Amino acid sequence: MNQRLVFSRLIGIGLLGISHGIGAITLLDANDFHYDVSEHGSLRHGTQQAYADMYRLRVNQVSYQGQINSLSPDGREIRTSDYTIPNTALRVQRRIYVPKYGEFARYSELIYNDSDQAQTVSVEIFGELGANHPQILRQTEQFLVTQNHSQAPVLMHYHSQVNHPVQASVELQGNQLRWHYRDISIPPRSQRRVVYFVAQLPRLSAADEFVAQLLESPTALFENIGLAAYPELLNFNPALPTPSQHFENAIFLTPDESPRRGELTENDPHSHRRAATPAHFYAFHLNAGETVGIQATAYFDPYLYLFADQTGQTLLAGNDNAHNNTTAAFLHFTAPQEGTYYLEVTSHRRRQLGEYGLSITRNPANQAPLVHPFRVTPYPLQTPVTATFTDFSRDPEGQIAERCWRFGDGSPWQCTAENTIEYNYTRPGQFVVSLRVRDDQGELALHSEVVEVAAQPQETDIILPINDRVTGELSPADGVSQTRTSAFADRYLIANPVPGQELVITLRSQQFDSYLYLYDALMRRIRENNDGGGEFDAQIRYLPTDDRPLFIEVTSAQDSVQGMYQLELNQVTDNTPVPIVLEIAVNPQDPQQVTFVGRVPLAFAGQFYTWNLGDNSLPINTAQPIVVHRYHKAGLYEVSLNARNAKGQTVNQRRTFLISDTGQLNVEAKFTVSPQFGERPLRSFFTNQSQALQSGLGDELHYLWHFGDGEVSTQRNPIHTYQREGSYPVVLEVYSPLTQHSVAVSMPIVAFDRNTPEVPIVGMARERPQVLMAGFDPMLLDVLDTHVRIFALVRTGATPIQSVRLLANEGDFHLFLSPVATYDNGLQRFEGIYTFPRGQWQAATMGDFFGVEKNQFRVQAQDQSGQFHAYPNLEIGQYPRLMRPAAALHVEPSTHVALRRAFPQVLAAGFDPILLDRHASQLTVVALVRAGIAPLDSVVLTQVEGDVRVALRQQEVLPNGDIVYRADYTYPAGSLPAGTVSHFFGTSKGQFNLVATDQAGQVHRYPHIVVGNFLLQ
């Protein structure tokens, strides 16, 4: 397949994303700006804190009090409940619509007069912007353009149409914005609508373009309101479509004939409904009660309109989506009476034209139900709490027969026919709640959202004031660490952190090696530190992003240790010392060649580093705090680092290191476990057989156990209990502080539950298994790391999975991947751990790991019947959908938040499906992304030395916090030739990268595996 031919047309293709915030339903526009709509219809925060509960509503000086009641069938309009203004006959309802490709939100305030007398009302829109003193960039009688700061989105508030008799007065004081429509008359027993447009835009020029578009008042801006409602609009007069003459020469089609091919060009007549947009016109005959499926597929985003009359005045249906995750247009229509029906094929965007395919099929196959975001109340959630979930899903062809919920805390599925359900949360956390809906013909659809439940501060929590110092003691009377259940710990509370004000937390003790953990309001571990303060002191620097509480856990580096300590909490100022920790990695093949790493806080923003290596060699200057050096003889050497930033500030650190001339690793990592397999709860006993290979060093070894379920231990021979079923890759890291050698070893532990049912497959299953994506965790390897996880996401076919292996294309290397998670859509995660000595990998960037060349690797999944598929092969051929795939073995996913680097990471990428039927009309690129310390800003598919740039949209959040992104590309059905694409992702010209960028401007490109200075955050 010609990649350039297919993917050069991906530019601009994307989907409206929908996600959920607690107490709000969030719609994403074409630029991925967030419109997080609260229960009352206001925008809670927007993107980058653009708003602070903006666009609230008052009618006759009474604030609207309602709740989100439903979503429109396409899931793009939020509809709130009726609210009756006290002591009046007035009812109010709000509708907030974000179009698929629009860069705005349209508010409609519906006011009903149930009395027999005309009513005069005043309507106020008010709220706060996200900055205390926003800047006014543009202002006219019709609109206001503001910006909170130079890096924030430009905000458009367009409240009235030019030359319209109904205008609003506007007032902005500080961050308080208000506009007021006065003396609006509502006739008796009727309704009227106040409409206005708001937008978050990337730049001021985009706001000017939006104003120009509104001045035209095209029909598309008022899409889904309906022509019958146009007279109800009080402050806008949208253009009415004129009677069409194009259907007089329409091409007549017969249902079930071969798909029709066409091409929209600039020379075609314009759409009856979409201004200045080319269209083609068709007609077909149906008998009364006859049902057809009408589908348009194209390289662009097609749009279908179906009319009952030849003039196009009676619209029966319109659609630009077959379902939530596609740009193909699909109509499911049953004729109310015998007659001729008229069809218009056009484009959702006037500038996107080209070839398309059109088919009309009698008695179409049942489509999956449309699953939409659900509402969660109350807001905010704080333990213990009873949460109410309300579903807005629908089935266009029938009814929702069953709704099954999983609440993300390990509890089993709960199924009901009702659209509401209650659930009790007893512990804090970030939970991925899944809703699986089944229609009356058995089709399934799945939707997942993140629900946040904050921790309730405990009576035993000690409030730690900022710029204060306390003295404490670790003892057996204390509680234990949330992360290390064998370590004594005290917990402190930072009650009201100030967003943007960096904090420094320092723990000192003369009696034990200090260790700090920092947790957020959801009790997620966000930072940890052992020796950031130097010697046995621990120190964490953290920049709060909101004012929610933070929790500090004081403990020791070794389990079950007690003693006195001092804890300090201070604000970071220009005079705050900048801590630098110097660390070393020894080349296991050449112990006198070492890598030094300087752990410099990101906030310092160092740009230039000077190293003195202590052996009379010349200083070395580097752009990053990392250097490789070879010593000519063994001995003790004092190493110093001087770091400078753009402000001219400098910081220094020095440390003495022992350089050995030992020609082999002096540490061996080894352990046994019993039992290794069993029914949960599985209590496993670990026996450490690690040793120093030189005498006299045994007592110096330090141990760190990772049990695979998020918990760790520093004991020599720990005991650990696995409460939930799963496959857990246990890693033992062994470190010699004397020689700085570190090695790791891994072994899987399996805990099962005989009573757990298998998980049904929701997705495009084939006869064969499919390795949809594969990658590394992490993709950013630290030079001191001793292991990496290689994983794959696999969809079962007709037969259960037998094995998943990483295979070298040349040689006999292989690594078995074990099942470690089954997600709620039936997708299985297989994982293997590759261990290596500390210092084996020097700083470098590697790519092209997966492929079909001799020096590359593949991940192969084989089922019990011998059928297999190997990643990264995208195969196009005869691969029809498997209607009844084998269910997946249930393995409970870990809910512990994955450890992060400072930078974002694209952990894996691929396709869904990766076995693509040649008669299909859609290809989906998928990526698994992990944020760094800053929120993600974008994930984009780009071509190496090419012009392709496609934005991926967030699809779902996995239980560990990783995010699945996708971009859907449609094309005329059957237009892709059969074949195999094995070099789609890569670093060579013409291949493709996935680029993740966060809000701090930090970037990672898949498939780049980068080794460098990447300390865990």
Side-chain angles (χ1 to χ4, degrees), residues 55 57 77 93-97 104-111 123 125 141-143 157-162 164 166-168 179-181 184 186 191-198 210 214 217-226 229-238:
Y55 310 118
L57 171 65
E77 182 176 71
Q93 185 186 106
R94 312 193 74 184
R95 296 188 179 183
I96 303 94
Y97 172 68
F104 63 88
R106 187 195 67 218
Y107 271 79
S108 298
E109 314 293 7
L110 282 66
I111 306 172
V123 177
I125 310 301
E141 293 183 356
Q142 285 72 45
F143 65 86
H157 322 272
Y158 200 109
H159 49 78
S160 307
Q161 189 176 29
V162 175
H164 196 283
V166 177
Q167 297 287 321
W179 65 81
H180 190 182
Y181 306 92
I184 294 174
I186 312 295
Q191 69 180 30
R192 291 294 183 266
R193 304 180 187 222
V194 174
V195 174
Y196 52 94
F197 299 86
V198 303
F210 181 61
L214 276 170
S217 192
T219 306
L221 289 176
F222 301 89
E223 206 162 46
N224 85 344
I225 285 182
Y230 279 15
E232 299 174 357
L233 302 182
L234 287 168
N235 57 329
F236 279 89
N237 287 326

Side-chain angles (χ1 to χ4, degrees), residues 41-239:
S42 60
L43 294 186
R44 178 161 292 139
H45 300 298
T47 302
Q48 297 184 32
Q49 305 296 312
Y51 309 112
D53 204 14
M54 186 63 217
Y55 310 118
R56 286 172 278 172
L57 171 65
R58 272 197 297 256
V59 177
N60 287 352
Q61 299 184 343
V62 177
S63 294
Y64 173 81
Q65 300 291 324
Q67 63 180 15
I68 295 173
N69 192 43
S70 65
L71 293 179
S72 60
D74 61 6
R76 297 195 185 101
E77 182 176 71
I78 294 172
R79 298 167 179 176
T80 66
S81 60
D82 281 353
Y83 174 68
T84 300
I85 305 298
N87 304 316
T88 73
L90 297 174
R91 290 182 293 116
V92 182
Q93 185 186 106
R94 312 193 74 184
R95 296 188 179 183
I96 303 94
Y97 172 68
V98 178
K100 178 178 182 180
Y101 276 128
E103 299 172 348
F104 63 88
R106 187 195 67 218
Y107 271 79
S108 298
E109 314 293 7
L110 282 66
I111 306 172
Y112 302 82
N113 178 7
D114 292 328
S115 74
D116 294 326
Q117 303 293 326
Q119 300 284 323
T120 299
V121 301
S122 69
V123 177
E124 296 174 83
I125 310 301
F126 68 102
E128 291 80 42
L129 300 176
N132 290 331
H133 299 285
Q135 181 184 3
I136 297 177
L137 305 182
R138 297 273 194 277
Q139 186 169 13
T140 71
E141 293 183 356
Q142 285 72 45
F143 65 86
L144 180 70
V145 180
T146 63
Q147 189 175 31
N148 293 342
H149 56 81
S150 60
Q151 303 301 315
V154 173
L155 305 181
M156 166 65 71
H157 322 272
Y158 200 109
H159 49 78
S160 307
Q161 189 176 29
V162 175
N163 299 324
H164 196 283
V166 177
Q167 297 287 321
S169 59
V170 180
E171 182 180 3
L172 176 62
Q173 293 186 348
N175 70 335
Q176 307 281 324
L177 176 61
R178 168 181 174 268
W179 65 81
H180 190 182
Y181 306 92
R182 291 181 171 85
D183 300 329
I184 294 174
S185 180
I186 312 295
R189 301 294 176 183
S190 63
Q191 69 180 30
R192 291 294 183 266
R193 304 180 187 222
V194 174
V195 174
Y196 52 94
F197 299 86
V198 303
Q200 304 168 78
L201 300 163
R203 63 193 70 87
L204 182 58
S205 60
D208 294 334
E209 293 171 6
F210 181 61
V211 169
Q213 182 185 17
L214 276 170
L215 289 174
E216 298 176 3
S217 192
T219 306
L221 289 176
F222 301 89
E223 206 162 46
N224 85 344
I225 285 182
L227 296 180
Y230 279 15
E232 299 174 357
L233 302 182
L234 287 168
N235 57 329
F236 279 89
N237 287 326

Side-chain angles (χ1 to χ4, degrees), residues 563-581:
M564 302 295 295
Y565 64 82
Q566 282 190 336
L567 179 67
E568 290 184 41
L569 173 64
N570 295 288
Q571 289 184 345
V572 172
T573 67
D574 291 340
N575 298 321
T576 301
V578 177
I580 297 180
V581 176

Side-chain angles (χ1 to χ4, degrees), residues 904-908 927-931 936 938-939 961-965 996:
Q905 301 175 79
V906 183
L907 301 178
L928 185 62
V929 185
R930 180 175 298 163
L936 289 169
S938 65
V939 179
D962 294 339
I963 306 172
V964 179
Y965 282 79

Side-chain angles (χ1 to χ4, degrees), residues 382 454-457 461 463 491-498 503 518-524 526 542 544 546-552:
Q382 190 174 45
Q456 179 77 40
D461 290 339
I463 296 178
R491 199 169 86 172
Y492 292 82
L493 172 66
I494 306 176
N496 297 296
V498 178
L503 302 174
L518 182 65
Y519 301 90
D520 65 10
L522 308 179
M523 292 308 297
R524 298 178 298 180
I526 52 177
Y542 180 69
D546 56 51
D547 60 359
R548 294 190 292 179
L550 298 170
F551 297 90
I552 302 170

